[in-house]
Amino acid sequence: MALSTRLALPLRPTLAALRWAAPRQCRGLSTPQVPGHTIDLGGIFPPLTTPFSPTQEVDYTQLEGNLCRYTSIPFRGLVVLGSNGEYPYLAPQERLEMVSCVRRALPRDRLLLAGSGCESTQATIKMTVSMAEAGADVALVVTPCYYQGAMTSAALVQHYTEVADASPIPVVLYSVPANTSLDLPLEAVLTLAQHPNILGIKDSGGDITRIGLMVHKTRKEDFQVLAGSASFLLASYTLGASGGVCALANVLGGPLCQLDRLCREGGWQEARDLQHRLIEPNVAVTRRFGIPGLKKAMEWFGYYGGPCRAPLTPLSPSQVEELRSTFSANGWL
């Protein structure tokens, strides 16, 4: 670590608190505006896919093309290097170049959340600082999981506390047990919610009781809960979630933003009807067919999907047909 970076680390919590202490207009359904609130995460965030060329190199031209199309959709912001971005398959420099590319194309009134989680605390801090320098507004930090048995609540609290202390930008916790086989314990979330530089959590586990408890138990904190899937977005909103980071938003961003708007305006019946039509397509591009399915569906809606990076493999012809039928049966194709 460079000397300047080591010297700056003790100052970062203070600098972060000063930088993000401006009041905000909260858009969450049940989170009142209070003095000292920071960045408003209310709304829909697509976790961007990483476009690859036929030779599996990052295709920044295609990325820019997708970003141009997304500017017409009222997203709150974009997530770069989440699970759907194939971030474990990217070299560190590729990850930073992705953030820089998106930052250049993204209007300043939209947030850029960047995945900076690594397995070690030291590496996560270094990557988080680099993401901030590349233009990220918020660091999305996934749970370290390789030594899963050692990842106790105490270990995870210590990890996230050290990252948040050192980060020059706010941190959002990221729990995605489908990929990590590790659910960030509720007691750890409640402890970390008290940290002034931890803004919220993206919870992709789908346990709506847990989401409700997190909203309820952190109601006195400056802490926002984001639903990590379109399948339980409506249910999360009814319990007070602020927004959603939804893979399906790469494909059906407009309808998901419409669902967000309906919930905020109290159009619950219309929102419920829309949510019903989104569940099966969302399951298809997440649990069922994963990122190859998501990228294939993007192509049907005018975006560049392209190949995944090996060892992920493309869908078979029968899987493509099944995926298309799922979207068609729900009125999207």
Side-chain angles (χ1 to χ4, degrees), residues 200-221:
I201 183 170
K202 177 198 172 188
D203 193 293
S204 299
D207 183 340
I208 199 63
T209 301
R210 169 183 159 93
I211 289 175
L213 279 173
M214 284 192 292
V215 172
H216 176 60
K217 295 288 188 179
T218 63
R219 65 192 182 281
K220 295 181 181 179
E221 309 294 342

Side-chain angles (χ1 to χ4, degrees), residues 12 23 27 31 34 37 40 82 89 109 118 128 140 151 161 191 201-202 217 245 256 266 271 277 285 298 321:
R12 285 202 169 108
R27 295 175 60 195
T31 309
V34 298
H37 259 45
D40 175 14
Y89 297 167
D109 63 342
C118 302
T128 300
L140 182 67
M151 292 300 99
T161 298
T191 298
I201 183 170
K202 177 198 172 188
K217 295 288 188 179
V245 180
L256 279 164
R277 296 175 56 216
V285 300
M298 288 174 65
E321 184 55 37

Side-chain angles (χ1 to χ4, degrees), residues 57 72 76 188 240 268 281 302:
E57 299 301 318
S72 64
R76 179 66 184 94
W268 297 110

Side-chain angles (χ1 to χ4, degrees), residues 261-280:
R261 178 183 59 79
L262 288 168
C263 291
R264 298 184 190 285
E265 295 176 354
W268 297 110
Q269 182 57 57
E270 191 176 351
R272 184 171 64 184
D273 293 342
L274 182 54
Q275 174 71 89
H276 287 165
R277 296 175 56 216
L278 294 168
I279 293 174
E280 287 183 314

Side-chain angles (χ1 to χ4, degrees), residues 1-238:
M1 184 181 295
L3 176 60
S4 59
T5 301
R6 292 201 303 269
L7 291 173
L9 286 179
L11 297 175
R12 285 202 169 108
T14 301
L15 293 173
L18 290 172
R19 183 178 179 185
W20 301 112
R24 69 179 171 102
Q25 180 63 43
C26 181
R27 295 175 60 195
L29 293 181
S30 66
T31 309
Q33 183 177 357
V34 298
H37 259 45
T38 53
I39 295 175
D40 175 14
L41 298 177
I44 300 299
F45 298 80
L48 298 179
T49 59
T50 298
F52 294 110
S53 69
T55 58
Q56 297 189 12
E57 299 301 318
V58 179
D59 193 327
Y60 295 101
T61 299
Q62 295 291 358
L63 174 62
E64 291 169 358
N66 284 346
L67 293 171
C68 183
R69 295 180 180 93
Y70 287 142
T71 57
S72 64
I73 301 173
F75 292 130
R76 179 66 184 94
L78 304 177
V79 172
V80 187
L81 306 171
S83 299
N84 290 283
E86 299 175 67
Y87 80 89
Y89 297 167
L90 299 183
Q93 188 58 40
E94 288 177 320
R95 296 177 72 178
L96 295 175
E97 288 173 359
M98 280 283 295
V99 174
S100 296
C101 182
V102 174
R103 180 73 278 171
R104 289 193 298 269
L106 190 64
R108 291 304 311 184
D109 63 342
R110 298 195 183 186
L111 296 174
L112 174 53
L113 279 63
S116 64
C118 302
E119 281 301 307
S120 77
T121 303
Q122 182 184 48
T124 301
I125 290 172
K126 182 177 179 180
M127 182 61 72
T128 300
V129 171
S130 296
M131 291 296 180
E133 292 170 348
D137 298 304
V138 176
L140 182 67
V141 181
V142 70
T143 51
C145 63
Y146 187 83
Y147 297 107
Q148 180 185 343
M151 292 300 99
T152 62
S153 286
L156 291 166
V157 166
Q158 178 177 327
H159 170 75
Y160 279 109
T161 298
E162 291 184 16
V163 171
D165 283 347
S167 176
I169 54 177
V171 169
V172 169
L173 314 174
Y174 181 19
S175 182
V176 56
N179 291 348
T180 64
S181 299
L182 178 68
D183 213 350
L184 186 57
L186 179 60
E187 60 268 25
V189 175
L190 301 183
T191 298
L192 292 166
Q194 301 172 52
H195 193 290
N197 203 33
I198 293 180
L199 188 59
I201 183 170
K202 177 198 172 188
D203 193 293
S204 299
D207 183 340
I208 199 63
T209 301
R210 169 183 159 93
I211 289 175
L213 279 173
M214 284 192 292
V215 172
H216 176 60
K217 295 288 188 179
T218 63
R219 65 192 182 281
K220 295 181 181 179
E221 309 294 342
D222 179 18
F223 191 79
Q224 300 166 72
V225 177
L226 297 173
S229 174
S231 291
F232 49 87
L233 184 60
L234 173 59
S236 298
Y237 275 153
T238 63

Side-chain angles (χ1 to χ4, degrees), residues 288-305:
R288 194 163 192 177
F289 299 120
I291 300 170
L294 177 61
K295 287 188 166 182
K296 174 57 67 175
M298 288 174 65
E299 295 174 358
W300 299 332
F301 290 84
Y303 304 102
Y304 179 83

